[in-house]
Amino acid sequence: MGLVSGLLLLPLAPVRGTLWVADHLLEEARRQTHDPRVLRARLAALNRALDEGAIDEAAFEREEERLLTLLERRTRPRTTTHGLSQGRHV
């Protein structure tokens, strides 16, 4: 980046910084909600909460279904439009 373009784009630095932070926050949120290890840990915590009586059976079943659906989506092989799993070459 040249001196002139650097000076002209300087007023946009706070916007670029804000976008960088927002991008990293979004990535971390995705990791926390879609990482299979995190989902399994949340399932274990949910089971403990049910065992301790902190939540009722209906709340447990709703949250368990949601977490299992997310976990299934993350662990199921993705398919392409041709029906082949990604990563496999024919």
Side-chain angles (χ1 to χ4, degrees), residues 8 23 26 28 43 55 59-61 73 78-79 84:
L8 290 175
D23 185 49
L26 179 61
E28 181 63 18
L43 277 169
I55 59 172
F60 171 81
E61 288 179 5
R73 286 183 193 158
R78 295 181 186 160
T79 57
L84 299 173

Side-chain angles (χ1 to χ4, degrees), residues 1 4-5 8 10 23 43 45 50 53-54 59 61 76-77 82 89-90:
M1 180 182 300
V4 174
S5 61
L8 290 175
L10 189 60
D23 185 49
L43 277 169
L50 179 66
E61 288 179 5
R76 184 179 350 144
H82 302 294
H89 296 83
V90 181

Side-chain angles (χ1 to χ4, degrees), residues 46-88:
L46 185 65
N47 280 306
R48 282 192 304 275
L50 179 66
D51 291 342
E52 295 168 357
I55 59 172
D56 63 2
E57 187 76 27
F60 171 81
E61 288 179 5
R62 281 191 309 271
E63 185 64 11
E64 180 188 42
E65 182 66 30
R66 190 181 73 77
L67 290 172
L68 288 174
T69 300
L70 286 172
L71 187 60
E72 183 180 299
R73 286 183 193 158
R74 293 300 297 171
T75 57
R76 184 179 350 144
R78 295 181 186 160
T79 57
T80 63
T81 57
H82 302 294
L84 299 173
S85 294
Q86 288 182 346
R88 291 177 48 199

